[in-house]
Structures are given as structure tokens and as C-alpha cells.
Amino acid sequence: MTETDLLNQALNYLGEARVQSLTQNTNSAKYGADAIRPSVSQVLRLHKWNSALKRRALNRQTEENEFGPKYTYTLPVDFIKLAKYNDGVEEYAIEGRNIVTDNQVVEIVYVAYPKDFADLDPNLFEAIAAKLAFNIAINVTGEPGMQPRMMELHERFLARAKAHDARESSRFAESLYEETMRDSPMIRARYKLGRWRTIT
């Protein structure tokens, strides 16, 4: 599955016609192509999604740093979010598209931008498509009321994707998911009397 497939899923949620390619001369293709990568990154950075994880031993840059951590390692081009660094026992810092550290070997597990969207859990794919639909809703449909509908759809898919993801790992990974959900306008609207309603 390609970025075009992702866009067509988003357009389906919006009730719009499919596109044949991202270079097609339509508003859907134009705004969709611009919003795909930001939309994917926004959702993938919320959590250490099992279906989006990759492992990589990083290449160290030739010159040592003038001060601070001794070495600089280049992050992969498809890097979205760090999940684990050297089994979680050494110190490091991410600076731009690099990791700086005193370690002579760096091995990471990270959330990667998908090469094939079919590799993602179907619930996660739906959550990303709904986020994309939210981001392009007004420009494509011209209907301001469509945006909150797409956000609600996204949040429903996201909650389901998180629940499925949690069942597929024995690790108790720290997640930004809860914080992100509570920052959502739709979730804040459901906040009453100091209690959070559970989304189903």
C-alpha cells in the first residue's frame, strides 16, 4: 500500500472521489500530497507502535565532537521516534537528525516512516488516514464542519489502535498517547466535573 492508497482512504472518509496519483491536477491530490508526510509523522510520534518499529546499528560520523558527548551518529532517513537506545542503559541526546553520545556502539529501535503502509496494523492505518482527512478537510471539501467530524473519527481509531498495540507486546513502554489525547479539543469537550470519560 502506497501514500496514494492512504490518501484515497482519507478521501473516502471525506466522501470525496479517489485520485489516481499524487501528481493529479486536483485539489484532493494537491493538498493531500502536501499533508501526507506531516500527518503520518504526527500519528507515529504519539506512541512506540509495534507494527512501525525497526532496528538499526548506527554509523558514526568521522570527526569527534569538539565538546560535550564525544561521538555523533546519523539517524536513519526514515526515523520518526526513538523507542529504545542500547537496551536503555546508556546516556544520549538527539540533536537534529543525529544522536550524540560517548558510546562507541549505538544500536536503536525506532518508529520508522513506512515503506509499505500494508506493514502497519490496520487500525493504525485507519487512524493515520483519519488524521490526514482532518488536515485536508477544509481545503478539499470547503466544509468547516467536516474537520471536527474527522478529528472524532481519528481519535476513535487511535484509541482502538493503541488498545490493539498494547496486546501485542509484553513491554510496558512509556507513551505520549494519553497526554496527546487529553490535549485534544474533542477530549477536552468531554471533560466534566474533573473526570475523564472513557472512549470506546
Side-chain angles (χ1 to χ4, degrees), residues 103-167:
N103 299 120
Q104 296 186 20
V105 175
V106 171
E107 297 174 336
I108 65 171
V109 180
Y110 67 100
V111 178
Y113 193 95
K115 185 176 181 180
D116 184 347
F117 285 91
D119 294 335
L120 297 181
D121 180 271
N123 299 289
L124 177 55
F125 178 83
E126 288 181 330
I128 295 172
K131 180 67 172 182
L132 175 58
F134 167 80
N135 286 337
I136 65 175
I138 294 179
N139 287 328
V140 170
T141 70
E143 300 177 21
M146 187 64 76
Q147 231 182 3
R149 289 168 56 187
M150 292 301 102
M151 178 54 70
E152 186 169 11
L153 185 68
H154 163 68
E155 290 174 350
R156 188 164 73 246
F157 287 152
L158 190 62
R160 188 166 64 189
K162 175 62 166 57
H164 280 267
D165 191 81
R167 299 188 191 110

Side-chain angles (χ1 to χ4, degrees), residues 71-84:
Y71 305 115
T72 296
Y73 295 80
T74 304
L75 290 168
V77 294
D78 59 353
F79 178 90
I80 296 291
K81 174 186 176 69
L82 187 65
K84 184 181 290 187

Side-chain angles (χ1 to χ4, degrees), residues 20 30 34 45-46 50 61-62 75 84 86 102 110 112 117 126 130 139 144 148-149 155 162 168 180 187 189:
Q20 297 301 313
K30 174 185 175 182
D34 289 342
R45 282 190 61 81
L46 296 179
N50 290 313
Q61 296 183 13
T62 305
L75 290 168
K84 184 181 290 187
N86 281 10
D102 287 326
Y110 67 100
F117 285 91
E126 288 181 330
N139 287 328
R149 289 168 56 187
E155 290 174 350
K162 175 62 166 57
E168 296 177 346
T180 303
I187 300 301

Side-chain angles (χ1 to χ4, degrees), residues 4-23:
T4 303
D5 295 317
L6 178 66
L7 174 56
N8 280 326
Q9 185 67 38
L11 293 173
N12 180 57
Y13 296 150
L14 293 170
E16 296 291 321
R18 295 171 59 88
V19 299
Q20 297 301 313
S21 73
L22 299 182
T23 58

